[in-house]
Amino acid sequence: MNEKQNFAITTLEYCFVAGFIIFEELIWNVLAQPLINWLNQLKIFEKMRQYFQLMHPNLVLFVFIVIFLVTEILGILSGLTVVSGRVFWGALIYLMKVPVAAFTFWLFDLTKPKLMTFEWLKSMYDVLMSWKGIIEDSDMYRNLKHSVHITREKIQTIKYKYLGERSFYDAVKTQYLLVKTFFIRPQ
């Protein structure tokens, strides 16, 4: 393999692993997982949980595939919108995808024993998990993950230095109320 091909492959691998880490750190840890945790606390999801657990495996598979396809269509639509130059609308579509994807992950996790009874789905899941394992075992992944961890710690240090224990939202709200009382005097 010549030097240009090696550089192209390494660059492609780097982009793939960086995309995986961005998805894992930003989309999953910041948006999807907290949303799934919040959904699990809602009373309606307790009823849905019982309903899905009583549902026939074929119907569970159908519902899962439909919701999964909606998630993927929103992702493709988001990408096409960004590529066409409408970045704001693409980002908005992607943000709409996050709750649908979170629900899809929630449903998959809940009904995994039923879904894994379909051999073709189990095979696809096993292949996907082995790819994930290969990525996570690579030096490139570990190095990038370490860099993300260091960056996150630096951001936390800066956040605590300027905001203290308060969240960013609380700090902005406090500043807003201060400015509001300064400019808007009661009559």
Side-chain angles (χ1 to χ4, degrees), residues 23 31 65 162:
F23 172 80
L31 298 173
I65 288 175
Y162 292 103

Side-chain angles (χ1 to χ4, degrees), residues 66-80 93 97:
V66 167
I67 296 170
F68 181 78
L69 287 175
V70 168
T71 302
E72 293 308 309
I73 289 169
L74 285 171
I76 292 168
L77 184 60
S78 170
L80 291 174
I93 292 169
K97 172 190 170 169

Side-chain angles (χ1 to χ4, degrees), residues 140-166:
M140 188 181 295
Y141 175 85
R142 285 192 285 267
N143 291 337
L144 282 172
K145 189 78 169 180
H146 181 69
S147 297
V148 167
H149 181 70
I150 289 171
T151 303
R152 181 183 283 161
E153 285 179 348
K154 286 179 182 178
I155 290 171
Q156 287 292 83
T157 303
I158 292 168
K159 178 184 161 194
Y160 287 129
K161 179 179 178 182
Y162 292 103
L163 299 177
E165 293 294 321
R166 298 180 302 170

Side-chain angles (χ1 to χ4, degrees), residues 28-148:
W28 180 254
N29 291 341
V30 174
L31 298 173
Q33 188 63 48
L35 186 58
I36 290 171
N37 295 341
W38 179 74
L39 291 176
N40 275 325
Q41 296 174 359
L42 298 176
K43 293 286 183 198
I44 190 169
F45 276 86
E46 180 60 39
K47 291 180 182 180
M48 288 178 72
R49 188 179 295 113
Q50 293 170 0
Y51 184 71
F52 281 121
Q53 288 174 337
L54 295 174
M55 199 181 279
H56 190 275
N58 289 332
L59 187 55
V60 170
L61 178 65
F62 176 76
V63 170
F64 174 75
I65 288 175
V66 167
I67 296 170
F68 181 78
L69 287 175
V70 168
T71 302
E72 293 308 309
I73 289 169
L74 285 171
I76 292 168
L77 184 60
S78 170
L80 291 174
T81 306
V82 167
V83 168
S84 72
R86 297 181 303 245
V87 176
F88 173 78
W89 294 110
L92 190 63
I93 292 169
Y94 196 85
L95 285 176
M96 289 179 359
K97 172 190 170 169
V98 171
V100 179
F103 183 79
T104 306
F105 285 121
W106 175 82
L107 180 61
F108 181 79
D109 190 48
L110 176 69
T111 60
K112 188 175 176 181
K114 286 184 183 190
L115 292 172
M116 292 299 115
T117 62
F118 297 95
E119 202 54 45
W120 62 272
L121 185 61
K122 184 177 180 338
S123 296
M124 289 174 58
Y125 178 77
D126 291 342
V127 167
L128 189 63
M129 289 300 105
S130 70
W131 286 352
K132 182 182 177 201
I134 290 169
I135 292 170
E136 290 176 341
D137 286 343
S138 72
D139 288 337
M140 188 181 295
Y141 175 85
R142 285 192 285 267
N143 291 337
L144 282 172
K145 189 78 169 180
H146 181 69
S147 297
V148 167

